[in-house]
Amino acid sequence: MSLICELYYPLNHLERISDAEVIENTRQKIENYRDLNVTVAEFGTRRRHSYGVHRLVLQALQQYGAGSFVGTSNVHMAMLYQTKPIGTHAHEWFMFHAARYGFKMSNALGLEHWVQVYRGDLGIALSDTYTTDVFFQQFDKMFSKLFDGVRHDSGDPLEFADKVIQHYQGMGINPLSKTITFSDSLNYEKVARIAEHCRGRIGMSFGIGTSLTNDVGPKAMNIVIKMTEAQPGEGEWTEVVKLSDEKGKYTGSERMIHLAKEILHIE
């Protein structure tokens, strides 16, 4: 997606603000987040305006972000600016597991295999590949204790926070020992509302993308690219789907979406 954006703006002669303005806007944003007393990671690679803008944003975050900026999901930028590479796994991880093991086992085996690979690192679990309600049916006490927290990527963030807090309390786990990483189309107003709702109830962090790396004048593109098929091992190519917490915001063929919803008992 970053390649599409890299070509789209110059080919359509859409001019952006100056480098100095990009840096100043980023400085103001990260200082506002610091005033909210929240931690922010940069998650903006996919829908960034361009590689050049991305570098300017990282430069400003590194220079002005002490006390709030904690890292970037782009390992190249992390290397260039000597900051922490930070992020979570992608929906495709669970989509592949559904192709390999079936919809009912995709979450549990996806989490188990993740732990086997990363041995405790990268401990934020993505919950909404087949809706959060289905995810929590398999996010049992072992996984709830083992993972550092969960990531919100679709649906109402406040409802999600309440659901996560209730889940941990039901497992006998103090929610303040866990973290929700919010990452769904965030800006300052959304972050402030979420922080007010969650503060003192559960740990929180924020992965902020487009509003950092593509707020430079032209309207940001709202695009998504998802895996459509997987071929596990020597098996056959198998269609995959994603069933977001946003009702009706599904990807995949109608036939496979219907099958997944039927198997997982999603209304």
Side-chain angles (χ1 to χ4, degrees):
M1 294 200 304
S2 61
L3 292 176
I4 294 171
C5 293
E6 193 82 32
L7 294 169
Y8 173 80
Y9 297 104
L11 288 176
N12 286 278
H13 308 290
L14 301 173
E15 296 185 3
R16 66 169 175 86
I17 58 178
S18 68
D19 290 1
E21 289 174 304
V22 173
I23 292 173
E24 176 59 18
N25 287 349
T26 306
R27 180 191 67 79
Q28 292 178 8
K29 288 178 181 181
I30 196 59
E31 290 182 352
N32 287 338
Y33 289 128
R34 182 168 59 233
D35 291 343
L36 278 180
N37 194 29
V38 297
T39 58
V40 169
E42 180 275 307
F43 276 17
T45 297
R46 294 183 301 163
R47 298 185 186 92
R48 68 190 182 191
H49 174 274
S50 60
Y51 176 80
V53 166
H54 200 173
R55 289 198 61 164
L56 292 169
V57 168
L58 261 294
Q59 176 186 328
L61 291 173
Q62 184 74 322
Q63 183 174 355
Y64 301 110
S68 182
F69 175 58
V70 294
T72 172
S73 63
N74 187 302
V75 293
H76 172 63
M77 296 293 174
M79 179 190 69
L80 290 177
Y81 294 96
Q82 293 299 291
T83 190
K84 183 178 182 180
I86 188 170
T88 69
H89 41 227
H91 295 103
E92 284 81 359
W93 180 262
F94 296 103
M95 294 162 77
F96 170 85
H97 278 78
R100 176 67 177 84
Y101 302 104
F103 291 115
K104 281 190 174 294
M105 297 303 297
S106 60
N107 283 321
L109 287 176
L111 293 171
E112 187 172 324
H113 292 160
W114 189 265
V115 170
Q116 290 172 4
V117 172
Y118 291 104
R119 313 301 295 176
D121 288 329
L122 300 177
I124 299 295
L126 180 59
S127 62
D128 71 333
T129 308
Y130 303 110
T131 76
T132 292
D133 288 337
V134 170
F135 175 85
F136 278 131
Q137 292 171 14
Q138 295 188 316
F139 198 59
D140 60 14
K141 194 164 190 175
M142 182 190 75
F143 288 134
S144 296
K145 285 189 171 185
L146 194 58
F147 279 84
D148 300 322
V150 295
R151 171 181 160 202
H152 171 264
D153 198 49
S154 63
D156 186 288
L158 306 190
E159 290 180 8
F160 179 84
D162 291 341
K163 190 174 295 186
V164 174
I165 291 168
Q166 184 179 17
H167 173 81
Y168 282 129
Q169 289 173 336
M171 295 288 175
I173 298 169
N174 180 1
L176 287 171
S177 69
K178 299 295 180 179
T179 297
I180 300 176
T181 296
F182 294 92
S183 63
D184 183 24
S185 304
L186 297 177
N187 55 31
Y188 177 83
E189 290 73 21
K190 290 182 180 179
V191 170
R193 182 165 57 95
I194 294 167
E196 181 180 9
H197 186 78
C198 293
R199 200 177 307 279
R201 302 177 65 209
I202 192 167
M204 56 184 162
S205 65
F206 298 88
I208 300 179
T210 306
S211 74
L212 284 176
T213 60
N214 203 346
D215 184 17
V216 295
K219 183 179 180 181
M221 296 182 71
N222 184 19
I223 57 175
V224 65
I225 296 175
K226 292 295 181 189
M227 182 166 66
T228 58
E229 291 182 300
Q231 185 184 29
E234 300 298 322
E236 297 180 353
W237 283 97
T238 302
E239 290 186 56
V240 295
V241 301
K242 174 177 174 285
L243 308 180
S244 167
D245 282 334
E246 293 281 353
K247 293 189 181 300
K249 190 179 177 182
Y250 303 149
T251 63
S253 70
E254 289 296 326
R255 180 185 68 84
M256 192 60 75
I257 288 171
H258 176 77
L259 179 62
K261 290 173 69 175
E262 184 175 3
I263 291 172
L264 296 172
H265 305 294
I266 298 172
E267 295 183 0

